[in-house]
Each structure stands twice: as structure tokens, then as C-alpha cells.
Amino acid sequence: MKTLLVANWKMNPSTFKEAKALLDATKKVGDKAKQVSIVLAPPSIYLRQLRLLYKGKRIAFCAQNARGENGGALTGEISMAQARDAKAVFVLIGPAERRAMGETNDDTKKKVAAALALNMTPILCIGETERTNSGAHYAHVAEQLIIGLSAVPKGMLKKVLVAYEPVWAIGATSAMSPRDMHEMAIFIRKTVVGVHGEVGMQMRILYGGSIDDTNAADMCKEGDVEGLLVGRASADPRKVTQLINVLQNA
Ligand code: PGA
């Protein structure tokens, strides 16, 4: 099965010229990596132009954030419809950095429903900020998952992707172990099955947090995930080339 790589550039790079170079580097290696499906999430200000420049079929585009409302007095925000119009077919919902800025589970619920209504693929991002021996992270993740998916219309759950990104492993020096990810993937599916029934077993799960070419293959092999959500290593032409090559040969 193909590995899904969601390349979240976050607020990088600083110029459109560099963004074009990064797209070129990703395209170059991506064209040869038939085992890897690439989803690119550039800053929204670059999205439409990059999509227009890109002539291939192997990269799909993703908005880093969008709101469910159709329009309104919301300075600085973009709507789901605007993201769709700019040719994003995926959208990140509730990534850790946006939650840290105040995004709530209720916000993610509305955004997931709005994305599905426009036939976009929502990537619901979940993950605890810290881990202690109390096991409280399970309750935290379950809440994010249950509320975030609570407005998904019947039959549409298969269209949603869940990205588990433990906040403590984002921008860190090492990723979570594949074994722990495997355990979390089982918990995620069990939780979804508990609310939505057996279809939850097919929940597509990604891992995010300090992935690069050194740990990507093991995470895909042993972490029980369909793919990876990658920040830093996706926003550097050399690193993204190494990463995609590793995934292709894994
Ligand atoms: P990172 O970001 O790859 O830079 O750690 C991952 C994420 O935000 O999930």
C-alpha cells in the first residue's frame, strides 16, 4: 500500500521564490516515488499560485487551516470555500499549533463538517500536550476525537484522516516510538468504533512529530499508520528529497 506524506510547511518559506524551489524539489523526487502519495500544505498565500504552477498529478494540495463559515467579518481568516476555490483538496484541522492559539474541539467539529460538505478531505489533528504515568492522555485524545468527528454525516467517516501528533514530539529531537504509536492507533480505532461502529476499524491514521529520513521507514512499518504528517523535514529541499526516497524504498 502507498504511504501518504503530508508535507506541512507551516509558516515557511519566507519568499515565493523559495516556495517554488521547494515545490520543484518535492516534485522532482515525488515523480519517481510511485509508492508515496504526497499532500502539500503550503502557507495559504502561496497555495493557488503553486497549484497553478504544478503540472503533474502526483501531488495534491492542502490548506493549513480554514474556517467553516461561508464568509463574514473575520479579518485574517480564510474560509473552507476559499481554500477549495484555491484548489486545496485536503485541509488540516486542529493542528497542535492552532490549538495552542485557542482552537477548540468544537471549532474542529465545525471545520470537519464544512470540509466534507465541500468534498474536501479533512485531516483531523489530535494529540496530548504531555504524557504522565496517569494515562490522562488517553482521555484527552478520546475527547478530541469524539467531538472532532461528532458532526461527520453518516457514511462519510471513511473520507476523514486522523493525524496523531503528540505535542511533546513536535519540533523535538526525537519522534515517539513506533511501538507507542501502534498502541495509540489501536486506541484511536477502538474509540471511533465505540461511537461510529465497525467502520471505525478502517480509520486512516497518520503520525506527526519529528519525522525525518532516519525514522520514517520504521514508523510506517511498525507504527500501524497509513502515513506521516511532517513539518521541518518537508520544508527543506534536501531533507524532503531524502525523506521521500526513504519512504519509496521502505
Ligand atoms: P515536525 O512537525 O515534523 O517539525 O516535528 C510535525 C507536526 O507539526 O506534526
Side-chain angles (χ1 to χ4, degrees):
M1 202 160 55
K2 283 195 184 188
T3 304
L4 187 66
L5 171 67
V6 181
N8 178 12
W9 292 358
K10 305 192 178 179
M11 203 173 71
N12 304 295
S14 308
T15 64
F16 186 67
K17 194 172 161 206
E18 290 165 281
K20 269 196 307 194
L22 189 51
L23 171 66
D24 280 347
T26 309
K27 176 182 182 324
K28 194 165 165 225
V29 59
D31 279 347
K32 286 176 285 171
K34 304 275 191 269
Q35 286 313 310
V36 189
S37 296
I38 302 168
V39 173
L40 199 69
S44 58
I45 198 159
Y46 300 149
L47 182 60
R48 181 186 300 272
Q49 230 175 328
L50 288 180
R51 179 66 194 92
L52 288 174
L53 271 176
Y54 175 66
K55 298 293 179 227
K57 287 209 168 68
R58 310 222 49 252
I59 298 178
F61 285 77
C62 177
Q64 290 183 10
N65 174 47
R67 292 184 67 109
E69 297 87 340
N70 269 332
L74 290 159
T75 304
E77 297 284 352
I78 67 166
S79 71
M80 206 61 79
Q82 288 166 339
R84 186 73 189 87
D85 187 64
K87 308 284 183 256
V89 286
F90 288 75
V91 56
L92 296 180
I93 295 177
E97 287 138 18
R98 293 210 57 90
R99 290 184 188 263
M101 288 180 234
E103 191 156 318
T104 64
N105 285 331
D106 214 45
D107 295 329
T108 66
K109 162 186 165 180
K110 290 184 194 136
K111 291 179 178 196
V112 168
L116 289 170
L118 289 170
N119 206 21
M120 294 167 79
T121 299
I123 305 176
L124 176 65
C125 303
I126 58 173
E128 75 282 359
T129 41
E130 59 170 4
R131 257 190 198 206
T132 59
N133 290 335
S134 72
H137 57 281
Y138 283 115
H140 185 81
V141 165
E143 190 181 18
Q144 290 179 327
L145 202 52
I146 291 168
I147 302 177
L149 297 177
S150 61
V152 173
K154 218 176 162 41
M156 301 223 39
L157 199 66
K158 278 193 228 143
K159 179 101 178 135
V160 181
L161 280 160
V162 165
Y164 174 68
E165 35 155 35
V167 181
W168 47 268
I170 298 175
T173 45
S174 55
M176 188 169 81
S177 77
R179 197 194 166 89
D180 286 349
M181 180 61 237
H182 190 130
E183 202 176 281
M184 184 49 81
I186 293 170
F187 176 76
I188 290 171
R189 287 200 199 92
K190 214 174 106 190
T191 305
V192 179
V193 166
V195 181
H196 298 265
E198 277 306 304
V199 62
M201 282 310 288
Q202 293 160 37
M203 194 82 239
R204 295 181 297 159
I205 302 169
L206 310 175
Y207 167 79
S210 298
I211 286 291
D212 60 20
D213 60 303
T214 64
N215 54 20
D218 282 351
M219 186 57 87
C220 290
K221 253 184 252 152
E222 293 157 33
D224 195 14
V225 291
E226 194 131 334
L228 305 164
L229 171 60
V230 179
R232 285 161 298 165
S234 76
D236 175 301
R238 191 178 52 85
K239 288 189 191 152
V240 78
T241 304
Q242 288 169 338
L243 174 65
I244 293 173
N245 275 328
V246 160
L247 291 175
Q248 167 65 15
N249 298 314

